Each structure stands twice: as structure tokens, then as C-alpha cells.
Amino acid sequence: AGVTQSPTHLIKTRGQQVTLSCSPISGHRSVSWYQQTPGQGLQFLFEYFSETQRNKGNFPGRFSGRQFSNSRSEMNVSTLELGDSALYLCASSLHRLNEQFFGPGTRLTVL
Amino acid sequence: AQSVTQLDSHVSVSEGTPVLLRCNYSSSYSPSLFWYVQHPNKGLQLLLKYTSAATLVKGINGFEAEFKKSETSFHLTKPSAHMSDAAEYFCVVSDAGTASKLTFGTGTRLQVTL
């Protein structure tokens, strides 16, 4: 099985918070998150490996994430803004130096 | 910091004709470069990768790319386009020391006509 993400679609209102989930390919230990919008394109959010954040992109502190011991990862966005509407993609790799495999994404709409 | 520039936002070719999608990179070190494809309403799929081995890289579905250090280019080519190739293509560079932090180009939309 490939990378799975849940939920597929999500609608929230401004000010709410949201948690997105990502299950990597079995055996993969590195998980990264990306945001895709028509205006800004694909942008890196965070990278996790062995439950530790290794890199963080240029996003405000409202965006946070974590990785569990089974390599599954979650990202959280607090105090949602309209501009947070995007496709959020998760990617996993065997190790930090291996190519990434992407999930289908979670489409977040903020009203 | 590393970056990639995709020189065409939109490319249109006829089925059966060659495809050329252009990408230039900027990096202060020897980069790892990738091409990913995104079909409508689907996730990103890795087409091919360059990691300082052979400069001509062969990927899936007949695509290949050539790393040219002197030109800082990594153009994607295919000898004969198929209707199923219509999609968005992204040139990507990874950060030093990790392939888990990717910087994407702005994408090239490939249209294939009959």
C-alpha cells in the first residue's frame, strides 16, 4: 500500500483548528508535509524522522506537526485563515536520503 | 539556497511528437534533482531522479532527463508524446543532506493534442 492520508476532504471555518493524518509506506521512517495552492505552488512545511522534526519551512507557528513511534504523522493548523485553504500533501521515504513517495492529499477548505 | 526555474508554464504538443520541458537549477552544492508528475486530482508521482551518478537519467513511461552542470539545466524529454502524458510536471531540487525537504518549481502544464 502507498502513503495514505485522512481525511480526503475537509471544510472548516475561520478560527477553527484542524488535524490531518498521514500513514507512510510500511518501513518508511521519514515523513514530510507540503502545501499546494494555486498562488504559491508547492511549499515545504516540515520534515520528520525518528519522531523528531528535522526541517521546517517558512510557515507561521500556527502550523505544527508530530511523528509517532510507528512513523505515522499528523499536522495541525490552529486559528485557521482563509489563505490556509489548500491541498496538503504528505510524503514518505525509507530514509532521509531516499526519494519521496506522495499520498493523494487532503483538500482543506476554510470558509 | 537552492532553487529551480521551469521556463515554460504551459507546453502543447501533438500526439506522437517529442516533448521537451525545460528546467534550470541553482544550487551551491552538487544537487539532487527530480521530476514529478501530477495528473488531475491525483497525487505526485516520481518520474526520475538525478543523484550525481549518470548524467542521463531514464525514468518511467519513456521519459528521460539530462543533467548539464555547465548549463545548470535538467530538461525533461520524451521522444513521442501520448495522450496520457497530459499532466502537470514539476522540476524539484532537494536540500543538502536530505531528500526529504524538496523545493518545487512552479510547474509546466503539458497539453497533448490529436
Side-chain angles (χ1 to χ4, degrees):
Chain A
V3 178
T4 58
Q5 294 185 244
S6 62
T8 306
H9 294 86
L10 203 52
I11 299 175
K12 292 285 188 179
T13 56
R14 280 181 300 173
Q16 288 187 310
Q17 74 167 14
V18 67
T19 299
L20 311 182
S21 180
C22 171
S23 292
I25 293 171
S26 178
H28 283 195
R29 297 171 60 196
S30 176
V31 173
S32 297
W33 289 87
Y34 297 85
Q35 181 197 64
Q36 185 175 25
T37 61
Q40 299 298 316
L42 275 149
Q43 294 184 286
F44 170 80
L45 279 158
F46 347 88
E47 172 198 356
Y48 285 90
F49 180 76
S50 294
E51 302 176 65
T52 302
Q53 188 179 92
R54 305 292 175 154
N55 275 297
K56 189 177 192 303
N58 189 26
F59 280 83
R62 301 185 296 107
F63 290 80
S64 62
R66 59 178 176 169
Q67 185 181 34
F68 302 96
S69 58
N70 61 359
S71 295
R72 191 177 69 85
S73 178
E74 290 180 346
M75 67 163 284
N76 183 276
V77 188
S78 62
T79 320
L80 284 166
E81 300 178 0
L82 296 178
D84 298 334
S85 294
L87 180 67
Y88 290 89
L89 293 164
C90 168
S92 76
S93 58
L94 193 63
H95 194 276
R96 298 183 72 210
L97 295 178
N98 297 99
E99 65 269 24
Q100 294 192 305
F101 295 86
F102 282 79
T106 293
R107 173 78 59 186
L108 172 64
T109 302
V110 182
L111 303 176
Chain B
Q2 70 285 351
S3 65
V4 289
T5 301
Q6 293 185 244
L7 301 173
D8 307 291
S9 60
H10 182 260
V11 170
S12 181
V13 300
S14 299
E15 190 175 35
T17 64
V19 175
L20 170 64
L21 304 183
R22 299 182 295 165
C23 173
N24 287 348
Y25 70 90
S26 174
S27 178
S28 57
Y29 52 89
S30 183
S32 290
L33 294 161
F34 310 80
W35 277 97
Y36 279 85
V37 61
Q38 187 175 37
H39 287 93
N41 300 316
K42 291 192 175 181
L44 288 156
Q45 181 183 21
L46 178 66
L47 276 178
L48 50 82
K49 63 176 181 178
Y50 167 77
T51 53
S52 75
T55 56
L56 183 61
V57 182
K58 294 189 182 299
I60 61 172
N61 300 333
F63 285 95
E64 62 182 39
E66 186 172 7
F67 175 77
K68 292 186 176 180
K69 187 175 181 179
S70 60
E71 300 175 11
T72 61
S73 68
F74 190 58
H75 301 335
L76 182 70
T77 61
K78 183 175 181 178
S80 177
H82 191 272
M83 294 296 289
S84 61
D85 295 327
E88 187 92 17
Y89 291 80
F90 294 94
C91 181
V92 183
V93 63
S94 67
D95 207 12
T98 175
S100 296
K101 181 184 178 184
L102 301 178
T103 299
F104 284 78
T106 51
T108 297
R109 181 161 299 278
L110 177 65
Q111 181 181 18
V112 183
T113 59
L114 288 172

